[in-house]
Amino acid sequence: MGSSVFKPLIHLSTITNYPYVDFIFVTFAVLFIINAVTTFYRLLKMRWASEKAFADFPIENRHPIFGHVLLVKLNSEETIQDIAERADIFPYTDQLWLGPFHALLICYHPDTMKPVLSSSEPKDEFTYGMVKPWLGDVLLISKGSKWFRNRRLLTPGFHFDILRPYVHIFNECTHTMMDKWMKQYDNGMIEMFEHVSLMTLDSLMKCIFSIETHCQTEVSTNPYITAVYELSEMVVNRINFPPYFSDLIFHLTYSGYKWRRALRQVHGHSKTVIHQRKQALEEQKELGIKHKRKYIDFLDILLEARDENGKGLTDQEIQDEVDTFMFEGHDTTASGISWILYNIAKHTEHQRKCQEEIDELMEQKDKDVIEWDDLSKLPYLTMCIKESLQLHPPVPFIGRKLSKPIEMPSPTGNGKVTIPAGERIGLPIIGLHHNPHVWEDPEVYNPLRFTPENSKGRSPHAYLPFSAGPR
Ligand code: HEM
C-alpha cells in the first residue's frame, strides 16, 4: 500500500490554523455538554424515582447534596455502633442516600429482610461490580439463567462426601499455624488475623487446586497468594473511599495500577493451573489411569460438571469460579475464625466449657484429632461459634437491585408498601444482628441464646450470617 493512503486527517501544520482548532474545540465542548446534561437528567430522574418509591419510609437528616455520606462512618468499630443505633430508632427500615442521587432502602428486621431474600433478586451492581473485573460474571454476581445453571453445576462440590476429607486438610493447616505460634510467641501477644488468613489461604489452595504453597511458613514467596491478598485489600479500600467508586479515577491512581498488576498475576495463575490439570486428566484418560489424589478438589468438580445437555463450563467460567472461591472463601473464614478466637479469649468461662467438651470427646476416641463426624458432637463449641458470627458477621452488608416490584411491611405496621423495580435494597446483616427490637442485649456475647429452648419461635430470618434464600 502506498503511504499516500495514510495521509493524516489533521496535519501538524494545521494546528496553527485557529479556525480549525476552534471547530474541534467547539464540537468537543458541545458533545461534552450534551453528555453532561443527559447524565445529570438521568441521575435526577433516578433521584425523583427513589424519593417517590421510598416516600413512606423514615429518613434521617439528609443533606441535599451529600445525602448521608458525611454521617455514615465506614471501616471501624463505630460503624457497628452506628448501624445498631439506626436499627434502634428505625426497627424495620430507613433510607440511606449515598450522595444526591443514589438511594438505598435499608432493612434491619426479619420481616423486611424476608421478602427481599426469599426472591432471587439480582445483586446490586454498584457494589458487587467492583469485584467483577477480578471474578467475572460468576455465582456471586451473576443473575437469571446463568446463575441458575452454574449454581446447579457447582452444587455437587458441597456434598458431604466431597467435604469430608477436607477436615484433614483443615487440621493440617491449623497445626502449621499453631506450631508457628508455639515457636514465635511463647510469651507475647499475637496479632492473629494475618496468621489465620494465611491458614485459610493455605487450606483453600489445597481444597481448590491440590497445591502445596507453604504460604504459612514462607509468607512472601508465593506471588499468587500475595496478589490475592492485595486484591482483597483493595476491594475493601475502594468501597471505603467514595472517589474510588469511579473506575476512571481509580485506574488513574497507583492503587489502580497495583490492582491491574495483581489481576494479571491471579488470572495468569488460575489459567496455568487449569490448563495443566486438563492436560493431566487427558493423559490419565488415555492411559486408563483413575484418580490419583486422596480427595476430589474443587477444580475436579468444575472440570467434570455437565448440564442436562452434556455441556460443561468453559475455561473462562472455570477460571472465574476458582477466583471467586479463593476470594469468597479466605477472607470470610479468616474473619470468622479470628473473631471466634477473640470472643472466647475474652470470655474465658465459655472457653473453658468448649475445652472441656473437646477433652471429653477426645477421651472417648482413640485418635487425638477432630474428624468430620465429631463436628456434630460439639454443641457448646457450635453455640460459641454461632454467637461470634452473630456479633461479628464476616459479611456485614449485602445488597440487591429489584428486577420486579416487591411488597414490604409498611413502617407504620399497617399493611404493605410496594417498592417498584429498579430500586436498591441494602441488607445490613450486622444491623439485623444488633437490632435491639429483634435480639435481647444484642451487644453481649451470650452463646446460650442458641440453645434449642432459647431458639424456639425465633424467625429464621433473625440470624443470617450466611444470608438466606436462593442466593
Ligand atoms: C464464615 C464463612 C462465610 C460466611 C460468613 C459467608 C457468607 C456469605 C454470604 C452472606 C453470602 C451471600 C452474599 C450475597 O447475598 O450477596 C455468601 C455467598 C457466597 N459464598 Fe460465602 N461465606 C462464607 C464462606 C464461604 C466459603 C468458604 C466459600 C467458598 C469456598 C463461599 C462461597 C460463596 C459463594 C460462591 C457465594 C455466592 C452464592 C450465590 O450467590 O449463589 N463462602 N457467603
Side-chain angles (χ1 to χ4, degrees):
M1 253 186 260
S3 60
S4 59
V5 177
F6 291 106
K7 259 193 198 141
L9 266 175
I10 306 170
H11 195 274
L12 264 185
S13 62
T14 60
I15 294 292
T16 51
N17 180 344
Y18 292 119
Y20 195 75
V21 174
D22 283 351
F23 174 74
I24 294 173
F25 178 75
V26 169
T27 309
F28 271 109
V30 169
L31 285 177
F32 178 79
I33 290 166
I34 293 173
N35 189 19
V37 170
T38 48
T39 306
F40 185 68
Y41 182 61
R42 187 177 52 77
L43 289 169
L44 261 186
K45 267 180 44 186
M46 214 165 87
R47 176 184 167 120
W48 294 331
S50 296
E51 276 173 342
K52 195 170 158 215
F54 301 154
D56 288 327
F57 295 92
I59 182 163
E60 194 193 28
N61 307 331
R62 171 185 161 203
H63 187 281
I65 295 173
F66 298 115
H68 297 110
V69 168
L70 301 177
L71 294 176
V72 180
K73 304 171 204 99
L74 288 166
N75 202 20
S76 70
E77 192 68 18
E78 275 172 83
T79 315
I80 301 176
Q81 223 41 58
D82 215 40
I83 294 176
E85 275 163 27
R86 290 176 82 94
D88 191 12
I89 306 167
F90 310 110
Y92 289 88
T93 29
D94 76 341
Q95 299 180 43
L96 180 74
W97 284 77
L98 299 173
F101 307 115
H102 298 283
L104 291 121
L105 184 68
I106 307 288
C107 302
Y108 301 101
H109 197 276
D111 293 353
T112 49
M113 287 209 162
K114 190 177 165 189
V116 186
L117 289 173
S118 305
S119 64
S120 40
E121 287 304 310
K123 310 277 172 88
D124 174 17
E125 299 135 18
F126 184 58
T127 36
Y128 292 84
M130 288 190 199
V131 286
K132 213 167 174 177
W134 175 8
L135 310 179
D137 192 20
V138 276
L139 208 54
L140 179 69
I141 309 168
S142 60
K143 53 186 174 189
S145 56
K146 163 126 198 206
W147 168 77
F148 190 71
R149 173 180 180 259
N150 286 10
R151 178 69 180 236
R152 221 154 32 114
L153 289 178
L154 265 63
T155 300
F158 293 96
H159 193 279
F160 291 156
D161 290 340
I162 302 289
L163 299 178
R164 192 182 292 268
Y166 291 177
V167 179
H168 296 290
I169 298 177
F170 303 148
N171 280 334
E172 196 182 284
C173 295
T174 311
H175 287 159
T176 307
M177 181 177 75
M178 300 293 286
D179 285 348
K180 243 168 56 177
W181 285 359
M182 297 299 260
K183 277 184 209 136
Q184 295 173 14
Y185 302 98
D186 46 352
N187 277 321
M189 286 203 296
I190 298 173
E191 170 46 60
M192 62 174 67
F193 183 74
E194 198 186 316
H195 294 247
V196 178
S197 173
L198 282 171
M199 185 269 287
T200 59
L201 273 174
D202 194 9
S203 308
L204 273 172
M205 290 296 280
K206 289 174 182 163
C207 296
I208 293 181
F209 300 117
S210 297
I211 289 181
E212 176 69 71
T213 56
H214 304 287
C215 66
Q216 292 200 70
T217 42
E218 298 164 18
V219 179
S220 57
T221 49
N222 191 304
Y224 175 68
I225 298 280
T226 312
V228 170
Y229 249 133
E230 279 181 3
L231 291 175
S232 309
E233 216 178 282
M234 275 187 273
V235 168
V236 178
N237 290 348
R238 228 185 136 177
I239 290 170
N240 282 330
F241 189 57
Y244 282 178
F245 289 178
S246 152
D247 281 339
L248 181 69
I249 295 176
F250 178 67
H251 285 292
L252 287 174
T253 63
Y254 181 59
S255 296
Y257 161 75
K258 272 175 49 188
W259 168 264
R260 290 191 298 278
R261 192 181 57 186
L263 271 191
R264 275 196 299 277
Q265 174 64 44
V266 166
H267 289 161
H269 172 273
S270 306
K271 259 194 196 107
T272 311
V273 177
I274 293 164
H275 177 70
Q276 286 170 348
R277 176 68 62 84
K278 272 181 119 175
Q279 262 188 339
L281 284 177
E282 269 165 32
E283 279 167 24
Q284 280 174 19
K285 235 183 228 164
E286 274 171 26
L287 299 169
I289 305 171
K290 278 210 149 188
H291 227 281
K292 272 196 207 149
R293 285 186 310 279
K294 282 187 239 149
Y295 59 90
I296 298 176
D297 65 18
F298 186 56
L299 195 46
D300 290 322
I301 303 270
L302 293 173
L303 286 167
E304 282 158 26
R306 293 287 176 274
D307 63 17
E308 60 283 1
N309 303 318
K311 227 177 134 225
L313 295 161
T314 63
D315 280 5
Q316 186 61 50
E317 283 174 328
I318 294 174
Q319 183 198 314
D320 291 345
E321 295 299 350
V322 158
D323 290 339
T324 302
F325 274 59
M326 284 302 291
F327 167 65
E328 261 289 330
H330 99 268
D331 216 34
T332 47
T333 42
S335 161
I337 293 168
S338 300
W339 278 115
I340 290 156
L341 295 175
Y342 171 83
N343 280 318
I344 57 170
K346 247 185 115 176
H347 303 276
T348 46
E349 70 281 17
H350 298 303
Q351 186 183 150
R352 216 174 358 258
K353 285 191 181 147
C354 291
Q355 185 67 57
E356 280 164 14
E357 188 178 64
I358 294 168
D359 289 346
E360 215 171 284
L361 181 69
M362 288 297 132
E363 270 170 32
Q364 293 164 12
K365 284 166 56 105
D366 50 354
K367 282 192 250 172
D368 193 16
V369 62
I370 301 272
E371 290 166 310
W372 175 269
D373 294 329
D374 298 327
L375 299 178
S376 57
K377 297 175 192 156
L378 298 164
Y380 203 86
L381 175 63
T382 305
M383 288 197 300
C384 289
I385 293 171
K386 278 187 170 176
E387 176 62 353
S388 188
L389 294 172
Q390 151 83 8
L391 267 187
H392 302 106
V395 179
F397 195 101
I398 57 177
R400 299 288 185 268
K401 187 170 180 187
L402 299 182
S403 62
K404 50 184 181 300
I406 59 160
E407 290 206 316
M408 184 75 76
S410 148
T412 56
N414 296 324
K416 307 241 172 191
V417 179
T418 303
I419 315 286
E423 294 305 329
R424 294 195 173 100
I425 311 284
L427 304 164
I429 294 171
I430 202 158
L432 170 77
H433 288 183
H434 288 254
N435 187 338
H437 302 272
V438 179
W439 295 93
E440 207 182 310
D441 298 327
E443 310 305 325
V444 176
Y445 181 75
N446 173 21
L448 297 179
R449 53 173 118 236
F450 290 102
T451 61
E453 305 80 65
N454 292 342
S455 307
K456 254 185 218 151
R458 184 178 295 147
S459 162
H461 287 84
Y463 178 68
L464 299 175
F466 299 96
S467 185
R471 302 307 293 261

